[in-house]
Amino acid sequence: AQSVAQPEDQVNVAEGNPLTVKCTYSVSGNPYLFWYVQYPNRGLQFLLKYITGDNLVKGSYGFEAEFNKSQTSFHLKKPSALVSDSALYFCAVRGRFSGNTPLVFGKGTRLSVIA
Amino acid sequence: EAQVTQNPRYLITVTGKKLTVTCSQNMNHEYMSWYRQDPGLGLRQIYYSMNVEVTDKGDVPEGYKVSRKEKRNFPLILESPSPNQTSLYFCASSLRVLAGGPPDTQYFGPGTRLTVL
């Protein structure tokens, strides 16, 4: 079975400081990994994805994530947080050999960037 | 503009009164999906469709129906809504899901907030 965990319901960070939103996963074999962001009263928007290749993935709005196979993690990072980054962040996974099964989403982490 | 649209955006109804939430995409996407979002539970998939006339259950399909008669539309039907279906619903679409291949980026609609009294 596939699963993804976002261990923190809430992350608070001061504006200008680096931010990390954590994600760990469990799949058979190698994963496909995604990060989505949800701003208030909006649908989810794609941020970045890891399919294969370089473990460090760069995405929209200055975000990046590092795929760590040994730790089964895909943490989202940004060097300098902005107040406008405050939103709900979702990690999603699907196993590479899971056929056409849908993505599994985490429960979400609410990021609050304080000015 | 490429987008996924949902209607209505807000709906308050009563138990047992059949309702339909429409979803339409203009990107010629093959794959469409419905999710519900509940506090503390994140996003859970209700149904998905790989293409026209091909639908399958997600994680929480009970109490819901879908149809995919046209590529662009994927309505969600609640035949007899109950209060536990009060939730925020999202429709999503993506280009394709190839057998054994990576899932494409999904594009989400703005959401439908449903309250069942």
Side-chain angles (χ1 to χ4, degrees), chain B residues 29-92:
Chain B
H29 284 171
E30 292 181 356
Y31 181 87
M32 297 186 75
S33 178
W34 275 104
Y35 297 88
R36 59 179 289 174
Q37 183 180 13
D38 302 290
L41 298 177
L43 221 59
R44 295 179 294 168
Q45 189 172 53
I46 303 170
Y47 269 94
Y48 63 97
S49 169
M50 304 287 280
N51 212 326
V52 175
E53 302 292 0
V54 181
T55 64
D56 210 344
K57 296 177 180 179
D59 297 322
V60 288
E62 294 77 21
Y64 304 95
K65 285 175 57 177
V66 293
S67 68
R68 188 90 182 274
K69 293 184 171 57
E70 305 167 280
K71 200 170 190 178
R72 64 183 294 126
N73 296 324
F74 190 46
L76 179 69
I77 303 156
L78 285 71
E79 294 271 3
S80 183
S82 62
N84 65 11
Q85 293 177 297
T86 293
S87 187
L88 180 59
Y89 291 86
F90 289 102
C91 180

Side-chain angles (χ1 to χ4, degrees), chain A residues 40-60:
Chain A
N41 300 314
R42 303 283 296 276
L44 278 72
Q45 297 177 32
F46 169 75
L47 267 183
L48 51 81
K49 64 182 176 183
Y50 171 80
I51 301 300
T52 188
D54 195 345
N55 289 344
L56 183 63
V57 179
K58 294 189 183 296
S60 307

Side-chain angles (χ1 to χ4, degrees), chain A residues 32 34 36 38 41-46 49 51 88 90 94 96 99-103 105-108, chain B residues 9 31 35 37 40-43 45 48 50 88 90 97-103 105-106 108-110:
Chain A
Y32 298 124
F34 291 73
Y36 285 84
Q38 184 182 23
N41 300 314
R42 303 283 296 276
L44 278 72
Q45 297 177 32
F46 169 75
K49 64 182 176 183
I51 301 300
L88 187 58
F90 291 94
R94 200 193 83 193
R96 193 171 295 262
N100 291 326
T101 56
L103 281 176
F105 283 82
K107 294 182 179 181
Chain B
R9 294 289 312 280
Y31 181 87
Y35 297 88
Q37 183 180 13
L41 298 177
L43 221 59
Q45 189 172 53
Y48 63 97
M50 304 287 280
L88 180 59
F90 289 102
V97 179
L98 297 175
T105 300
Q106 291 192 64
F108 284 80

